[in-house]
Amino acid sequence: QVQLVESGGGLVQAGGSLRLSCAASGKSISRNSMGWYRQPPGKQREFVATITSGGATSYADSVKGRFTISRDNAKNTVYLQMNSLKPEDTAVYYCKLSKWPLTGDYWGQGTQVTVSS
């Protein structure tokens, strides 16, 4: 079955940068929309960014201009470049593969991002 593994999280100071990776196995992601979501401590999971199979991107207002989602289909990997990080960005970040038009999605286990002030 499909497995998504996030990596690249860690502790960073406010204003710093991190690049998250989501490596997929078991299926080619080239024809799937992919996304990044995050869950801050004590809060529900929220949308961060998506990228379609054609490369069109969409971002939450809170990260526009700071985060960039990209994909490398040859590596079956999706990335999230995070710049100008703020303490409010602290969360567990999850990668999602859209199964549309099938029911449901595939999710990774998440990677922790902590931004210190």
Side-chain angles (χ1 to χ4, degrees), residues 40-94:
K43 298 183 178 181
Q44 292 192 301
R45 185 167 55 191
E46 65 186 29
F47 165 77
V48 175
T50 57
I51 184 166
T52 70
S53 61
T57 58
S58 182
Y59 299 92
D61 288 342
S62 59
V63 307
K64 283 182 180 176
R66 300 188 298 120
F67 291 11
T68 302
I69 187 171
S70 62
R71 64 193 299 156
D72 186 340
N73 290 335
K75 294 184 175 181
N76 226 36
T77 300
V78 177
Y79 304 96
L80 184 68
Q81 178 66 47
M82 306 186 295
N83 299 326
S84 302
L85 283 162
K86 306 174 181 179
E88 308 92 85
D89 296 319
T90 295
V92 178
Y93 283 71
Y94 297 93

Side-chain angles (χ1 to χ4, degrees), residues 5-68:
V5 179
E6 301 96 334
S7 62
L11 175 63
V12 64
Q13 292 182 315
S17 299
L18 286 173
R19 188 183 75 159
L20 306 184
S21 298
C22 172
S25 61
K27 181 189 188 303
S28 172
I29 67 170
S30 63
R31 299 179 66 84
N32 296 91
S33 291
M34 304 290 294
W36 287 97
Y37 294 73
R38 67 188 183 186
Q39 186 167 18
K43 298 183 178 181
Q44 292 192 301
R45 185 167 55 191
E46 65 186 29
F47 165 77
V48 175
T50 57
I51 184 166
T52 70
S53 61
T57 58
S58 182
Y59 299 92
D61 288 342
S62 59
V63 307
K64 283 182 180 176
R66 300 188 298 120
F67 291 11
T68 302

